[in-house]
Amino acid sequence: MTQTPRTPLTHDRVEAVARAAHAGQTDKAGRPYAEHLGAVAEGVRSRGGDDEQIAAAWLHDAVEDGKVTERWLDEAPLTRRTKDIVLAVTKRPGEPPEAYAARILATPGALLVKEADLAHNADPARLAVLDGATRERLTEKYARMRALLGLA
């Protein structure tokens, strides 16, 4: 990258990095994964999120899905707050939901990103295309996380 850490990535560049990182990936409904990222970024924006939160929304699944490494994130020309939010919303293997929720709640700005993520994940139109068992499992999972985060 030609930018220095003192010059954070622009929104367009963050979006391009996220789209490239998730290129070819689809969601559970078979839709391009970038649609989810864009919906979460828009959800953050519409909820009054700031530029750092919107950038984190674009990258919220990149580390978790193995699309970028924590080292890349650490070295990326992003603000510390954006990086902290991305790491906060990154689920760790075997991590209990309570610990995950506590990390989100302890990280300034992360709750709004996770709220937008859960809202899109639980969108009835998205869930409607899944089989009944998957739809029920995910609905319960998202409701439990909303409760743990105090969003229920």
Side-chain angles (χ1 to χ4, degrees), residues 31-133:
R31 302 292 307 157
Y33 204 78
E35 289 179 10
H36 171 64
L37 303 175
V40 174
E42 176 56 27
V44 167
R45 188 203 59 74
S46 70
R47 287 170 171 81
D50 60 31
D51 289 346
E52 293 171 317
Q53 290 169 304
I54 294 168
W58 275 106
L59 297 169
H60 79 276
D61 281 334
V63 175
E64 182 177 318
D65 290 350
K67 302 301 181 181
V68 301
T69 63
E70 284 192 39
R71 181 176 178 177
W72 177 89
L73 182 65
D74 187 52
E75 294 174 356
L78 298 163
T79 67
R80 181 74 256 162
R81 182 167 173 253
T82 295
K83 294 174 186 184
D84 289 346
I85 292 169
V86 172
L87 292 174
V89 299
T90 298
K91 287 183 234 161
R92 298 172 184 159
E95 181 177 37
E98 296 80 6
Y100 177 56
R103 186 174 60 253
I104 291 168
L105 292 170
T107 305
L111 180 60
L112 186 67
V113 174
K114 189 61 185 175
E115 179 182 12
D117 180 37
L118 286 168
H120 189 249
N121 282 339
D123 181 334
R126 275 186 94 204
L127 292 172
V129 301
L130 303 175
D131 65 84

